[in-house]
Amino acid sequence: MSRTAVVILNYNGERLLQQFLSSVITYSREAEIIVADNGSTDGSIALLEKEFPSIRIIRLDSNYGFCGGYNRALQLIDADYYVLLNSDIEVTPGWLTPLINLLDTKPDVAAVHPKILSYHHKHQFEYAGAGGGLIDALGYPFCRGRIFDYVEEDQGQYNDQRQVFWATGACLMIRAKAYHQFNGLDEDFFAHMEEIDLCWKLQRAGQWVHYCGYSTIYHVGAGTLGYDNPRKTYLNFRNGLFLIFKHFDDKELLYKLPLRIALDWLAAVMYLVTGKASNAIAVLKAHRDFIFNLGREVKKRKALQCQYPEYSRAAIYQGSVIIDFFLLKKRKIGQ
């Protein structure tokens, strides 16, 4: 058993493994490196067996998505800490040590993520996680260093360590016990926002999520789905509704859910007027599928809120990131 297991979920990512796996092996001596293959049909397995024979491979029989792939793989791994690491990430010397030290010294912290910069623009923060994951009062996630399409340059302003609301699934270090306490990631999300859901559950159970700016990695981003891909739009809008429906209190949900739906429709209109009809349709499909799955989500909501009826608002930005960004023109929110 290794105390820390770095687990890379791969699906037809032969090129990315070839490009980035060496840096993970070189700079992660404290951990066991594992590639969980999500039923790839390219040359990923052959590449691993030929060029990286020391790497443990977990072969899954199909593509179970981000959530299902990790849930199945991590059941087979014995470690104290898991690191869920995207295949399109370049790590840096010493990146693991601050993360391990944080979990070693803060028993109430269940999950942590490092500073995430752009691989292609290494002086800028990257979309997924940036300088710490936050969420606003309406349940819209955002990050220090990246709000919507505005991205800050890294000038050391987030070289800190602090509580945040969510840690990105691009590089999520989590205690194994905490991961399995909630049966891992909700597979109905398939991909996108599943890590926010898990972090919200952790906080319901009195555990905390931190950002550690003393560790740095570089992320290509959108390695599977481009940022404007309609499939990504669909998942983000559908899963955003799943997220708030599951977690908001009854009183919150009564007025926040209709407001979120109205704002989503406004987003669909904006997609249309900017020539992105496929994205507008994706928003409507997301709402349709949210409604179709409402019975299932009601059961999840009841089970979760019965066991963990309260959650802390300590790491929630008590305002609207949409109003602050688009109307008030703020570019640094919740710092």
Side-chain angles (χ1 to χ4, degrees):
M1 170 182 171
S2 173
R3 291 189 63 238
T4 304
V6 174
V7 187
I8 299 169
L9 188 68
N10 173 69
Y11 177 68
N12 288 345
E14 178 183 3
R15 179 183 60 80
L16 294 173
L17 292 172
Q18 179 78 67
Q19 183 175 2
F20 293 110
L21 186 54
S22 293
S23 77
V24 178
I25 295 171
T26 301
Y27 298 131
S28 309
R29 301 296 184 187
E30 308 95 322
E32 179 184 13
I33 313 300
I34 301 167
V35 173
D37 187 76
N38 228 352
S40 292
T41 57
D42 66 355
S44 294
I45 297 295
L47 170 74
L48 291 170
E49 291 177 337
K50 180 181 179 181
E51 299 194 20
F52 304 100
S54 64
I55 295 299
R56 178 183 171 189
I57 305 170
I58 295 176
R59 295 172 174 84
L60 303 177
D61 61 358
S62 183
N63 181 9
Y64 292 99
F66 185 89
C67 302
Y70 267 120
N71 285 349
R72 285 160 178 78
L74 296 184
Q75 288 285 350
L76 305 174
I77 298 170
D78 189 8
D80 292 333
Y81 306 147
Y82 300 139
V83 182
L84 284 61
L85 185 71
N86 277 15
S87 59
D88 60 344
I89 282 177
E90 178 184 73
V91 300
T92 60
W95 74 284
L96 266 179
T97 302
L99 305 179
I100 293 172
N101 288 345
L102 189 148
L103 293 187
D104 281 347
T105 57
K106 293 184 178 295
D108 57 340
V109 176
V112 60
H113 83 93
K115 180 198 293 187
I116 302 185
L117 301 178
S118 169
Y119 176 77
H120 294 298
H121 305 282
K122 293 193 173 181
H123 61 290
Q124 292 182 343
F125 286 92
E126 209 281 317
Y127 189 85
L134 303 173
I135 199 167
D136 77 355
L138 288 177
Y140 284 107
F142 63 102
C143 304
R144 298 194 305 168
R146 186 276 300 166
I147 303 174
F148 297 108
D149 59 353
Y150 178 80
V151 179
E152 294 179 42
E153 291 194 6
D154 176 28
Q155 299 177 341
Q157 66 270 44
Y158 304 124
N159 288 355
D160 58 0
Q161 183 172 289
R162 57 162 283 177
Q163 181 184 358
V164 292
F165 191 81
W166 57 275
T168 176
C171 183
L172 169 64
M173 176 176 274
I174 185 169
R175 297 182 190 275
K177 288 183 179 180
Y179 188 90
H180 295 301
Q181 177 181 353
F182 293 101
N183 298 314
L185 300 165
D186 184 340
E187 295 186 27
D188 291 322
F189 280 71
F190 188 77
H192 298 298
M193 297 197 188
E194 67 289 321
E195 75 270 51
I196 304 176
D197 174 56
L198 179 57
C199 288
W200 208 329
K201 290 175 182 174
L202 293 174
Q203 291 168 91
R204 284 184 172 276
Q207 303 174 71
W208 307 115
V209 180
H210 272 225
Y211 160 82
C212 180
Y214 310 134
S215 169
T216 300
I217 62 171
Y218 297 97
H219 186 208
V220 173
T224 304
L225 294 174
Y227 293 124
D228 286 331
N229 187 295
R231 175 64 173 168
K232 192 181 189 78
T233 299
Y234 166 81
L235 290 170
N236 278 331
F237 278 83
R238 186 200 64 174
N239 293 351
L241 293 179
F242 283 168
L243 184 71
I244 66 169
F245 185 81
K246 184 187 294 185
H247 287 282
F248 277 160
D249 295 343
D250 290 343
K251 290 181 180 179
E252 286 182 294
L253 198 63
L254 189 63
Y255 71 94
K256 290 183 179 180
L257 180 60
L259 184 54
R260 278 289 300 265
I261 290 173
L263 290 169
D264 283 1
W265 278 75
L266 178 60
V269 171
M270 294 302 297
Y271 278 130
L272 275 177
V273 300
T274 55
K276 299 178 180 178
S278 296
N279 296 83
I281 293 170
V283 175
L284 302 185
K285 288 181 177 178
H287 282 216
R288 176 201 66 190
D289 290 349
F290 169 70
I291 293 170
F292 284 172
N293 290 290
L294 203 54
R296 180 194 69 200
E297 296 303 309
V298 166
K299 292 179 182 178
K300 289 184 187 177
R301 173 183 169 83
K302 287 182 177 178
L304 177 66
Q305 299 206 9
C306 179
Q307 187 172 8
Y308 302 103
E310 302 290 337
Y311 69 90
S312 171
R313 272 70 172 178
I316 294 179
Y317 176 62
Q318 296 301 318
S320 168
V321 67
I322 291 179
I323 291 175
D324 286 350
F325 184 85
F326 290 105
L327 298 182
L328 302 181
K329 305 300 182 182
K330 293 183 179 180
R331 294 299 179 260
K332 296 183 180 182
I333 302 172
Q335 309 305 326

